[in-house]
Amino acid sequence: MSEGVSILDEFGQGFTFISFNDDDVSVLQRVSAGLGMPMKYVQINNDEAKQLYDCEYAIIRPDMIVAWRSDELPQDIHALFDRIRGAY
């Protein structure tokens, strides 16, 4: 993240998946695309931002609420995406 840029400026109009590491999240990208779920993927290498979220990964809803956060990628991606978008 550049100096003077807010993390909020990185968020998309739909959901935003934030990764605070270099892990491969391409499988999540494929699943969200397959579900027609608008999701922007952002990698942030900023220790201060990571401390604020207190996790390795977070999904932010379009209304800027944290829908999910974890230090591990989800085991059941479909179940997670269904839950956060209200599609049980």
Side-chain angles (χ1 to χ4, degrees):
M1 213 163 43
S2 301
E3 183 69 30
V5 175
S6 168
I7 194 170
L8 301 176
D9 294 336
E10 300 293 332
F11 292 177
Q13 291 184 10
F15 292 90
T16 302
F17 184 95
I18 301 172
S19 175
F20 293 102
N21 59 50
D22 296 331
D23 289 351
D24 181 15
V25 296
S26 59
V27 67
L28 283 89
Q29 293 172 315
R30 286 191 302 274
V31 171
S32 63
L35 293 170
M37 183 179 182
M39 178 94 70
K40 180 178 180 181
Y41 289 82
V42 178
Q43 183 183 38
I44 297 175
N45 294 316
N46 181 292
D47 289 334
E48 290 178 21
K50 182 178 177 178
Q51 287 178 348
L52 289 173
Y53 283 86
D54 192 30
C55 62
E56 291 290 326
Y57 311 99
I59 296 176
I60 312 303
R61 297 187 331 204
D63 61 359
M64 307 293 233
I65 301 296
V66 176
W68 172 85
R69 66 188 181 114
S70 179
D71 286 328
E72 298 180 17
L73 291 170
Q75 293 292 320
D76 188 341
I77 300 165
H78 285 92
L80 172 63
F81 286 176
D82 282 351
R83 187 174 76 232
I84 67 172
R85 65 191 180 106
Y88 298 95

